[in-house]
Amino acid sequence: MARGNNEILANLEQIVGPEYVSNEEADLQPYTWDMTWAEPRMPDYVVMPKTVTEIQRILRLANHRKIPVVPYCNGTNIGGLCVPEEGGIIMDLKKMDRILKIDPETCYAVIEPGVSHAAFSAALKATNPQWKGEEFSKGFEFGWGVHPPSASVLAMAINHGIGHLNGRLGINSQLMSSMEVVLPTGEVAKIGSCAYSDSWHSFLPLPRMDGLFTGWLGTTGIVTKLGVWIFPIRPYRDVLTIAAASAEDITNYMVRWRHYSLCDEVTAVSWWLAQIPIVFPYSPKPADAPEFFSYTVISGWSEEELAYKRKMWKEVVEKERAKGTKLIDFEYPPEAKKGRTELPSRIVGSTKNYSKSCGGGIAWPGTFAPCKSWPILYEKWKEIYIRHGLSPATRFTDYQGAHYGMLRCMTPFNKRDPASVQAARDAMVECVRAGLPEGMLPYKPPVEYQNELNAVADAGYLYLMAKIKDMLDPNNIMNPGKLGIR
Amino acid sequence: MSHLLKNKNLKELAKIYDWVSMCTHCGNCKYGYEYGAATNFAAMLCVQGDKFNFDSYRGSRGKVSLARSLLHNRIGWSDKVAHVLFTCTSCGACQQMCETDIKPWILRMFETLRYEAWKQNVAIPENIKAWSSTIGTLYNPYKEPHENRLDWLPSDVRASLPKKAEYIYFAGCTASYRRKQLARATVSLLQKLKVDFTVVEDEWCCASPLLRTGQYDLAAKFVEHNKALPEKYGASTFITTCSGCYRTLGRDYTMDAPEGYADKYGKMTGVKVLHTTHLLEEMLKKGEIEFTGSFNKKVTYHDPCHLGRHAEVYETPRNVLKAVPGLELVEMYRNRKFSFCCGAGGGVRGGFADYSLETAGKRVKEAEATGAELVTSACPFCYTNLADAIELNKSPLKMEDVVEIIEPIVRRK
Ligand SMILES: Cc1cc2nc3c(=O)[nH]c(=O)nc-3n(C[C@H](O)[C@H](O)[C@H](O)COP(=O)(O)OP(=O)(O)OC[C@H]3O[C@@H](n4cnc5c(N)ncnc54)[C@H](O)[C@@H]3O)c2cc1C
Ligand code: SF4
Ligand code: SF4
């Protein structure tokens, strides 16, 4: 069965060639849903551009005909963000998969949207940091998350993705250095140093116009090239672990440890998230099991550097214990340790850890929150989750220093059971509602969370947001419905 | 609610919905990847996705999603659905990448979808329909007379073979009708190795093409017939040089679902199934084989999907090749579980010859990039596609099966 209309199809075929456009339901169906509770919606066309010019022409056509356009790379954002609320064109960017540049001296790379974490990590690992021909060490890395390796690096970074270096360097949108974007109306703009030369090393000291396309969930334009900072792989790495009987205790430890900015990452997972797969439906943890398990990754250029970091870490643990914080020694299983030090990983990135056999559904209240709120919200979320028959599979992760971090609850559910879907959605929306007054903000938010956010947002903020959106996208063609405004 | 099983007419597919619904739509299966201290691998492995681009064609996710869309009654059958289903080579690369509970069911699901497709009014590739219409009486998909099945076997050799033997050499349809030199080389090899074997005139197609294209009903009599051969000829073992036959006899005939079809056709028991390279490896290990010459060439080995990913036999043919004096074995970037299919499997060679050869051409280019003079494999079907692509692309590469490399230069100690 075909959808859409033949005239538009013919126009799209003219732009990208008939091989790269389809309006057949058989081709459209994988783009109708994702792993979340989002109700499937059928697009009318899928189109796979290969060049910036093709994207410009598609957007001009879409504007002229007022057809929605949904930017798409792998559709694994865990937010229903590529489900086409109002049909229209799925712009699948996988054919734009070139790594355009890896500069091993200035330490940045330029990538297209279709570059996967798999391809990028392989290329970076094979490139050595150097200066004027002298190689300093082996391989580069970027902030690798625990997502499927087929996911796009660009889509992750522009939506405030989180990687394994976030404790040391901040989240991945902080590692972006330049971008090229096609505006909804078809013009192309370069932002950052690349607007002035072919050097893609920095947005600064220019006005931060990249903010118009970062965190906007594909509603303000198509980012066609992205410069990102890359980092030499440190040859020494270790994972240190500690557990705690409560969220309060683990937070105390994490806050003190990250105060010294000595780790690449410090994360804690609740007992339920430590189970593989996550316990579904909820069942209580054994009474003698710790509530939280924490790992921190340290890295360095020598064994001495690592030894120093281990010494400081031990001091932190001792200081906390002296204060009365109940910390429990535990050994990280070797497989998990390997997973942590060898990201991105198809094993860690697979959904097996979360939803191996529960019926295909995964979602999360994934949020950024001040660390102070972690224990408070964990107790609230735990009550909400258990009430809905779900395991509070919660994660705390610190982002660069003492400011804020991730608070998230990975939630498997059974898509075949309407009650299970409803329970998951209700629980998560309730968690978001409970968190907002504590300073918590959901990332890559599904529409339901956007509505919660907008309900309590500063009016001026919403006004400005709407104004920017209208200015950039006068016909509201870009991923409509995702911001909860327009 | 959109994830409920609403289409009860697709009975075979509905039976495995419990597994199909375990897919999380994560997309791990769309790309080959492994990273670690010793590995740094990233490459497209899906033959179908590489050619047809859209997510419907990429890895298992597109097909699982298709199965669900059909079961949820959100889309109907169409020629396009058939195209998505029949252009997959069943190479199993997507299955390697998947980590959720649907993993072992992925290939079975592809075949079940195809089974359902046959009952719909959709465009099954003409060529598949053509061989399917005669296979029931000719017992091979090449539309050749059954009586000619043993034409490859020189009459003196035929006369010298025992009626009953420990091994039945199961040549398979491709070697019997299209790659006769491989069948002859295998028989010569088995003779040199003094193996107690025979060749049987009532060998039928193993049913691989039928099972891979979802023709369950037609496959039944083939499985039943071939299963009875060992008892009839007093044999304990099937030995074959064909990876497709090896997979079918060794897994489909003998294993429970989802790896095999014991649920449909019962289980073949008490019969061993070996690939020729298994026997060679075993005899080399025991010191029973002696090389009488060398093979002074740089060689790269192409993993047949049915031997490699489907049956996890990766090292056996390599061990055999490594034992050959003078032979330098080099690997393509995509090898073993991350190999790239030759493009022939899953009925694709028959159904879409151009696309199949285009895929083989990609593999030939990869083989050329190793600097090898010769590409070898352990399957007459891969042989056919790769050899044709070598010719079509005027590649300087030569193609020989592992058996053809070994046979001239061995004897039993
Ligand atoms: C098991 C699992 C674990 C995960 N763990 C992490 C993690 O550790 N860290 C993390 O950050 N994320 C994580 N994610 C979320 C997600 O996989 C990543 O953010 C990922 O990089 C998204 O890539 P994608 O190709 O799937 O993007 P898509 O889902 O295709 O796109 C994401 C969003 O970006 C928009 N978009 C895509 N391309 C463009 C473009 N060129 N221009 C403008 N807008 C665009 C889309 O419209 C959509 O709104 C996880 C997901 C899963 C399934
Ligand atoms: S079996 Fe091979 S060709 Fe088919 S979807 Fe999987 S990877 Fe692609
Ligand atoms: S088949 Fe497996 S790897 Fe592919 S999307 Fe489904 S769960 Fe993920």
mmCIF file of all heavy atoms in Angstrom, chain A residues 162-184:
data_model
loop_
_atom_site.group_PDB
_atom_site.id
_atom_site.type_symbol
_atom_site.label_atom_id
_atom_site.label_comp_id
_atom_site.label_asym_id
_atom_site.label_seq_id
_atom_site.Cartn_x
_atom_site.Cartn_y
_atom_site.Cartn_z
ATOM 1 N N ILE A 162 24.917 11.755 26.706
ATOM 2 C CA ILE A 162 25.788 11.537 27.857
ATOM 3 C C ILE A 162 26.742 10.394 27.551
ATOM 4 O O ILE A 162 26.323 9.318 27.137
ATOM 5 C CB ILE A 162 24.949 11.152 29.094
ATOM 6 C CG1 ILE A 162 23.914 12.228 29.342
ATOM 7 C CG2 ILE A 162 25.819 10.931 30.308
ATOM 8 C CD1 ILE A 162 22.514 11.709 29.245
ATOM 9 N N GLY A 163 28.023 10.625 27.789
ATOM 10 C CA GLY A 163 29.005 9.590 27.486
ATOM 11 C C GLY A 163 29.899 9.263 28.663
ATOM 12 O O GLY A 163 29.757 9.835 29.755
ATOM 13 N N HIS A 164 30.871 8.366 28.414
ATOM 14 C CA HIS A 164 31.681 7.838 29.513
ATOM 15 C C HIS A 164 32.716 8.826 30.039
ATOM 16 O O HIS A 164 33.381 8.545 31.018
ATOM 17 C CB HIS A 164 32.351 6.531 29.088
ATOM 18 C CG HIS A 164 33.522 6.730 28.167
ATOM 19 N ND1 HIS A 164 33.421 7.406 26.974
ATOM 20 C CD2 HIS A 164 34.827 6.342 28.263
ATOM 21 C CE1 HIS A 164 34.619 7.417 26.379
ATOM 22 N NE2 HIS A 164 35.469 6.773 27.145
ATOM 23 N N LEU A 165 32.844 9.967 29.372
ATOM 24 C CA LEU A 165 33.798 10.961 29.869
ATOM 25 C C LEU A 165 33.088 12.115 30.564
ATOM 26 O O LEU A 165 33.699 13.144 30.847
ATOM 27 C CB LEU A 165 34.634 11.495 28.698
ATOM 28 C CG LEU A 165 35.443 10.444 27.931
ATOM 29 C CD1 LEU A 165 36.107 11.055 26.703
ATOM 30 C CD2 LEU A 165 36.494 9.815 28.844
ATOM 31 N N ASN A 166 31.769 11.937 30.827
ATOM 32 C CA ASN A 166 31.001 13.100 31.302
ATOM 33 C C ASN A 166 31.438 13.605 32.671
ATOM 34 O O ASN A 166 31.272 14.774 32.973
ATOM 35 C CB ASN A 166 29.487 12.847 31.248
ATOM 36 C CG ASN A 166 29.072 11.497 31.772
ATOM 37 O OD1 ASN A 166 28.188 10.867 31.226
ATOM 38 N ND2 ASN A 166 29.721 11.032 32.841
ATOM 39 N N GLY A 167 32.031 12.740 33.487
ATOM 40 C CA GLY A 167 32.517 13.199 34.796
ATOM 41 C C GLY A 167 33.717 14.119 34.642
ATOM 42 O O GLY A 167 33.859 15.110 35.349
ATOM 43 N N ARG A 168 34.566 13.797 33.679
ATOM 44 C CA ARG A 168 35.788 14.589 33.467
ATOM 45 C C ARG A 168 35.535 15.805 32.583
ATOM 46 O O ARG A 168 36.069 16.882 32.821
ATOM 47 C CB ARG A 168 36.847 13.681 32.821
ATOM 48 C CG ARG A 168 38.085 14.380 32.309
ATOM 49 C CD ARG A 168 39.341 13.511 32.377
ATOM 50 N NE ARG A 168 39.275 12.249 31.691
ATOM 51 C CZ ARG A 168 39.779 12.020 30.458
ATOM 52 N NH1 ARG A 168 40.347 12.982 29.777
ATOM 53 N NH2 ARG A 168 39.705 10.812 29.918
ATOM 54 N N LEU A 169 34.684 15.627 31.531
ATOM 55 C CA LEU A 169 34.617 16.655 30.485
ATOM 56 C C LEU A 169 33.254 17.298 30.299
ATOM 57 O O LEU A 169 33.115 18.254 29.554
ATOM 58 C CB LEU A 169 35.045 16.028 29.149
ATOM 59 C CG LEU A 169 36.443 15.404 29.134
ATOM 60 C CD1 LEU A 169 36.615 14.541 27.913
ATOM 61 C CD2 LEU A 169 37.502 16.495 29.156
ATOM 62 N N GLY A 170 32.254 16.742 30.952
ATOM 63 C CA GLY A 170 30.911 17.276 30.735
ATOM 64 C C GLY A 170 30.172 16.462 29.692
ATOM 65 O O GLY A 170 30.730 15.538 29.088
ATOM 66 N N ILE A 171 28.900 16.794 29.471
ATOM 67 C CA ILE A 171 28.088 16.010 28.544
ATOM 68 C C ILE A 171 28.501 16.311 27.102
ATOM 69 O O ILE A 171 29.219 17.272 26.842
ATOM 70 C CB ILE A 171 26.583 16.262 28.768
ATOM 71 C CG1 ILE A 171 26.239 17.717 28.527
ATOM 72 C CG2 ILE A 171 26.172 15.813 30.157
ATOM 73 C CD1 ILE A 171 24.759 17.961 28.487
ATOM 74 N N ASN A 172 28.027 15.504 26.183
ATOM 75 C CA ASN A 172 28.572 15.565 24.828
ATOM 76 C C ASN A 172 28.231 16.844 24.078
ATOM 77 O O ASN A 172 28.955 17.235 23.163
ATOM 78 C CB ASN A 172 28.136 14.337 24.031
ATOM 79 C CG ASN A 172 28.934 13.116 24.443
ATOM 80 O OD1 ASN A 172 29.790 13.197 25.313
ATOM 81 N ND2 ASN A 172 28.661 11.980 23.823
ATOM 82 N N SER A 173 27.141 17.511 24.439
ATOM 83 C CA SER A 173 26.866 18.783 23.764
ATOM 84 C C SER A 173 27.908 19.827 24.166
ATOM 85 O O SER A 173 28.107 20.814 23.462
ATOM 86 C CB SER A 173 25.447 19.261 24.063
ATOM 87 O OG SER A 173 25.225 19.287 25.452
ATOM 88 N N GLN A 174 28.592 19.598 25.286
ATOM 89 C CA GLN A 174 29.664 20.514 25.685
ATOM 90 C C GLN A 174 30.960 20.226 24.910
ATOM 91 O O GLN A 174 31.912 20.977 25.024
ATOM 92 C CB GLN A 174 29.927 20.386 27.186
ATOM 93 C CG GLN A 174 28.782 20.921 28.029
ATOM 94 C CD GLN A 174 28.992 20.628 29.508
ATOM 95 O OE1 GLN A 174 28.661 19.553 30.008
ATOM 96 N NE2 GLN A 174 29.565 21.582 30.211
ATOM 97 N N LEU A 175 30.965 19.120 24.182
ATOM 98 C CA LEU A 175 32.164 18.753 23.430
ATOM 99 C C LEU A 175 32.022 19.096 21.944
ATOM 100 O O LEU A 175 32.859 18.740 21.140
ATOM 101 C CB LEU A 175 32.451 17.252 23.592
ATOM 102 C CG LEU A 175 32.463 16.719 25.028
ATOM 103 C CD1 LEU A 175 32.785 15.234 25.052
ATOM 104 C CD2 LEU A 175 33.470 17.477 25.883
ATOM 105 N N MET A 176 30.908 19.786 21.606
ATOM 106 C CA MET A 176 30.722 20.169 20.204
ATOM 107 C C MET A 176 31.551 21.430 19.932
ATOM 108 O O MET A 176 31.721 22.264 20.819
ATOM 109 C CB MET A 176 29.251 20.457 19.920
ATOM 110 C CG MET A 176 28.342 19.265 20.261
ATOM 111 S SD MET A 176 26.645 19.422 19.696
ATOM 112 C CE MET A 176 26.211 21.091 20.100
ATOM 113 N N SER A 177 32.037 21.575 18.691
ATOM 114 C CA SER A 177 32.927 22.697 18.434
ATOM 115 C C SER A 177 32.521 23.570 17.239
ATOM 116 O O SER A 177 33.010 24.691 17.111
ATOM 117 C CB SER A 177 34.353 22.184 18.231
ATOM 118 O OG SER A 177 34.407 21.264 17.170
ATOM 119 N N SER A 178 31.687 23.064 16.377
ATOM 120 C CA SER A 178 31.239 23.834 15.209
ATOM 121 C C SER A 178 30.119 23.058 14.553
ATOM 122 O O SER A 178 30.033 21.835 14.750
ATOM 123 C CB SER A 178 32.373 23.971 14.175
ATOM 124 O OG SER A 178 33.070 25.180 14.324
ATOM 125 N N MET A 179 29.281 23.720 13.797
ATOM 126 C CA MET A 179 28.258 22.958 13.077
ATOM 127 C C MET A 179 27.823 23.646 11.791
ATOM 128 O O MET A 179 28.000 24.854 11.608
ATOM 129 C CB MET A 179 27.035 22.661 13.961
ATOM 130 C CG MET A 179 26.228 23.856 14.375
ATOM 131 S SD MET A 179 24.614 23.428 15.150
ATOM 132 C CE MET A 179 25.038 22.479 16.585
ATOM 133 N N GLU A 180 27.259 22.819 10.918
ATOM 134 C CA GLU A 180 26.601 23.337 9.717
ATOM 135 C C GLU A 180 25.160 22.886 9.802
ATOM 136 O O GLU A 180 24.881 21.757 10.201
ATOM 137 C CB GLU A 180 27.253 22.742 8.474
ATOM 138 C CG GLU A 180 26.597 23.193 7.177
ATOM 139 C CD GLU A 180 27.084 22.360 5.993
ATOM 140 O OE1 GLU A 180 26.579 21.230 5.811
ATOM 141 O OE2 GLU A 180 27.954 22.829 5.259
ATOM 142 N N VAL A 181 24.246 23.787 9.453
ATOM 143 C CA VAL A 181 22.838 23.460 9.614
ATOM 144 C C VAL A 181 22.050 23.946 8.397
ATOM 145 O O VAL A 181 22.386 24.978 7.806
ATOM 146 C CB VAL A 181 22.301 24.064 10.944
ATOM 147 C CG1 VAL A 181 22.431 25.564 10.973
ATOM 148 C CG2 VAL A 181 20.888 23.656 11.230
ATOM 149 N N VAL A 182 21.062 23.161 8.004
ATOM 150 C CA VAL A 182 20.125 23.627 6.983
ATOM 151 C C VAL A 182 18.876 24.095 7.729
ATOM 152 O O VAL A 182 18.276 23.327 8.496
ATOM 153 C CB VAL A 182 19.766 22.533 5.965
ATOM 154 C CG1 VAL A 182 18.779 23.075 4.935
ATOM 155 C CG2 VAL A 182 21.012 22.005 5.270
ATOM 156 N N LEU A 183 18.527 25.338 7.507
ATOM 157 C CA LEU A 183 17.357 25.895 8.201
ATOM 158 C C LEU A 183 16.083 25.311 7.599
ATOM 159 O O LEU A 183 16.079 24.882 6.435
ATOM 160 C CB LEU A 183 17.355 27.420 8.067
ATOM 161 C CG LEU A 183 18.612 28.134 8.590
ATOM 162 C CD1 LEU A 183 18.469 29.652 8.425
ATOM 163 C CD2 LEU A 183 18.879 27.783 10.043
ATOM 164 N N PRO A 184 15.000 25.324 8.362
ATOM 165 C CA PRO A 184 13.748 24.767 7.847
ATOM 166 C C PRO A 184 13.334 25.386 6.517
ATOM 167 O O PRO A 184 12.665 24.748 5.703
ATOM 168 C CB PRO A 184 12.734 25.093 8.943
ATOM 169 C CG PRO A 184 13.551 25.219 10.186
ATOM 170 C CD PRO A 184 14.882 25.766 9.752
#
